[in-house]
Amino acid sequence: MPSMIDIMKQGAELVNNDEEFKAQMVELDGDIIFWRFEDDQPAVTSRLDKGVIVVEEGEHPGSQVGMKLKAKVLLDVIDNSLEAKMMYTYTELVKGDMELARHHVFALVPYIFGMQDYYDSHEEFQKMVIARKKECGG
Amino acid sequence: MTQFNLEKEAGFRCDTWPAKNVPNIRPFPEECWEILRTLNLKPLHGMYQGYNMDLLLENLESPMAKGAVRVFESDKIEKVCIWWQVLSGRSLSGAVIGFPRDDYDFPVMLIDWDEGRGPGHGMVDHMPLCDLVLNEDYRLKYLDKLDNTFREYYDIIGPPSLHVWFRTLTGPYYSFFRTQAGGTPEYRERILNLPLRYLKLWSETVKEAKPIEDPKHREYCIKRKRVLQDWLFERDPVTSVMLRCYGKELGSLVMKGLS
């Protein structure tokens, strides 16, 4: 069964190799966000490194923002059943404040939209999301 | 067939920037403009509250976002803006925000709209410029005309914005709505009509508005309008998006156009 880090790594790989999203991320650098899932291990850090999304295990100490949420929230965003902007409604900030979150999480817009695209077009990625969501009761 | 004049008169169309996978994009800014253009608007040029509005005549472009903010004025309207943006080539945002000149006390028009291929949300209001308990006549004169529309759309309204500072600015006919409920094209079309209904009623209010006669009431409304504008400028979550997309200078200018 895939965990959230598997899904997020697969999503990052797809988005990092997509010319359209690469162009959107070209100026992004240094945004570090960790994701503490209430119902999934391990925690995940996503960071922008010179226009590339890097997904790593654990809570990066240099993160500007840390978010605590249920796995289903991010999965709902990926499969397009929850509006991405509404993610904050179901998220507790455990590091940083809302101002920092809006600034840094915004850098993930191409990544999020990219994963939504690939949910529709990449069978393997979609299967991972559906399987994990099913396990979450979604 | 309706002939929209937005492109000719404001320099952009809703499909100037493509939005991938967003189904059946309705010409929402065009439809808003058809109502706004009846208010004898002219482009707002030069300095406005310390910002050069002429710079907003250019379309906005960054790697992640593309769009336009256009600002206008009239003999009764201090500023009304129409905003349209495509984020990451996939998500649409739009707004119409209008403020009266200092000699008028009619409510502030607010439309905000966000949607992509999945669920979206929006809000609409006529924001009062005075306390409605001490000035019940204001509600009767300016706001209760929304009552029938509010009742007609009561099934889709709510829950409200999570921003408490914003809720304190809103009027009794503030409506927040989401586009996923129901989910059918007919439902979406119906929702999109709600902001247009509010805008049409606001345009009628503007046309009928007379200058304020009581100097104390005038000063009170100006004070409240400035606080409302400051809060929108400083606190609206979209501020951080604009600053991130367009940088501090242009992002702040865009927010001044929107607030």
Side-chain angles (χ1 to χ4, degrees):
Chain A
M1 186 60 60
S3 63
M4 290 308 289
I5 193 166
D6 300 323
I7 291 168
M8 292 174 75
K9 275 188 169 173
Q10 175 70 45
E13 189 181 329
L14 293 166
V15 173
N16 284 333
N17 287 292
D18 184 306
E19 292 303 321
E20 185 184 1
F21 291 115
K22 278 163 75 173
Q24 291 177 16
M25 297 192 294
V26 69
E27 293 177 358
L28 302 175
D29 188 35
D31 302 279
I32 311 173
I33 295 127
F34 73 72
W35 307 67
R36 186 184 297 168
F37 295 105
E38 293 174 26
D39 48 0
D40 195 283
Q41 293 289 329
V44 179
T45 293
S46 56
R47 60 181 175 87
L48 269 301
D49 184 3
K50 294 177 183 160
V52 174
I53 290 274
V54 179
V55 173
E56 299 166 328
E57 184 175 326
E59 298 180 3
H60 193 294
S63 299
Q64 296 99 353
V65 177
M67 301 193 295
K68 182 180 166 188
L69 68 168
K70 287 185 163 55
K72 184 175 180 298
V73 174
L74 181 56
L75 296 168
D76 282 349
V77 170
I78 294 171
D79 76 7
N80 240 305
S81 53
L82 176 68
E83 187 182 1
K85 285 176 186 169
M86 292 296 162
M87 195 165 65
Y88 292 121
T89 310
Y90 306 99
T91 300
E92 179 189 343
L93 286 177
V94 291
K95 184 171 183 183
D97 57 23
M98 189 49 82
E99 193 61 32
L100 280 171
R102 287 197 195 105
H103 180 81
H104 292 291
V105 176
F106 185 73
L108 298 177
V109 164
Y111 178 44
I112 299 286
F113 284 142
M115 286 197 287
Q116 290 180 341
D117 274 15
Y118 283 105
Y119 177 82
D120 284 345
S121 65
H122 193 280
E123 195 178 342
E124 197 57 38
F125 184 63
Q126 186 186 68
K127 276 183 184 170
M128 291 170 79
V129 174
I130 289 172
R132 184 68 191 91
K133 194 166 167 177
K134 199 172 178 183
E135 210 177 46
C136 298
Chain B
M1 186 180 167
T2 305
Q3 294 297 309
F4 293 118
N5 293 281
L6 183 70
E7 184 176 28
K8 186 178 162 192
E9 294 169 0
F12 74 96
R13 298 158 41 120
C14 74
D15 56 359
T16 298
W17 308 277
K20 194 175 175 184
N21 298 327
V22 182
N24 305 317
I25 297 173
R26 183 165 153 173
F28 188 64
E30 282 87 342
E31 289 175 319
C32 289
W33 180 247
E34 286 305 299
I35 298 168
L36 288 171
R37 68 194 298 272
T38 67
L39 296 174
N40 299 317
L41 300 174
K42 57 180 184 178
L44 175 52
H45 285 297
M47 299 303 286
Y48 175 81
Q49 296 183 358
Y51 288 81
N52 184 359
M53 293 290 121
D54 290 342
L55 299 174
L56 292 177
L57 293 169
E58 297 288 326
N59 289 342
L60 305 166
E61 185 156 346
S62 77
M64 219 193 294
K66 299 178 193 336
V69 178
R70 296 289 189 270
V71 286
F72 301 89
E73 62 179 341
S74 76
D75 58 339
K76 294 180 181 178
I77 297 171
E78 176 180 305
K79 182 186 66 183
V80 61
C81 86
I82 184 164
W83 172 56
W84 192 248
Q85 178 173 276
V86 178
L87 183 63
S88 194
R90 279 152 183 80
S91 173
L92 303 172
S93 299
V96 172
I97 303 174
F99 300 92
R101 287 201 182 277
D102 289 353
D103 285 336
Y104 294 86
D105 67 349
F106 57 82
V108 173
M109 179 70 227
L110 172 81
I111 296 173
D112 179 62
W113 183 262
D114 285 276
E115 70 171 345
R117 97 184 111 176
H121 73 276
M123 62 180 93
V124 63
D125 195 22
H126 289 191
M127 303 166 99
L129 285 184
C130 63
D131 178 275
L132 299 179
V133 176
L134 298 177
N135 301 275
E136 192 173 27
D137 55 333
Y138 184 98
R139 196 203 78 220
L140 295 167
K141 179 181 176 184
Y142 288 135
L143 303 178
D144 280 359
K145 63 180 69 175
L146 295 164
D147 194 58
N148 285 340
T149 304
F150 187 85
R151 286 169 185 272
E152 196 180 316
Y153 283 86
Y154 190 62
D155 59 309
I156 64 160
I157 291 167
S161 164
L162 280 172
H163 302 291
V164 64
W165 65 268
F166 179 77
R167 293 201 306 271
T168 60
L169 299 174
T170 59
Y173 296 101
Y174 162 66
S175 302
F176 185 99
F177 48 89
R178 292 183 179 170
T179 55
Q180 75 267 38
T184 62
E186 293 76 19
Y187 179 85
R188 182 166 168 268
E189 284 297 294
R190 180 176 170 234
I191 282 187
L192 275 164
N193 285 335
L194 175 60
L196 296 173
R197 294 271 292 271
Y198 271 54
L199 185 58
K200 185 81 169 57
L201 289 167
W202 187 74
S203 75
E204 289 169 11
T205 294
V206 174
K207 287 170 188 169
E208 293 161 3
K210 304 277 188 239
I212 304 169
E213 291 179 357
D214 178 354
K216 280 186 181 171
H217 179 65
R218 182 179 181 276
E219 289 309 307
Y220 170 83
C221 290
I222 292 171
K223 191 175 176 183
R224 178 153 172 148
K225 178 174 65 175
R226 296 293 169 233
V227 171
L228 192 153
Q229 289 178 318
D230 287 347
W231 284 13
L232 289 175
F233 181 75
E234 293 165 6
R235 302 180 184 186
D236 191 321
V238 84
T239 301
S240 54
V241 173
M242 294 304 178
L243 296 177
R244 190 74 203 247
C245 281
Y246 304 118
K248 190 177 178 187
E249 195 172 332
L250 184 56
S252 298
L253 174 67
V254 169
M255 283 312 299
K256 184 51 71 177
L258 285 169
S259 57

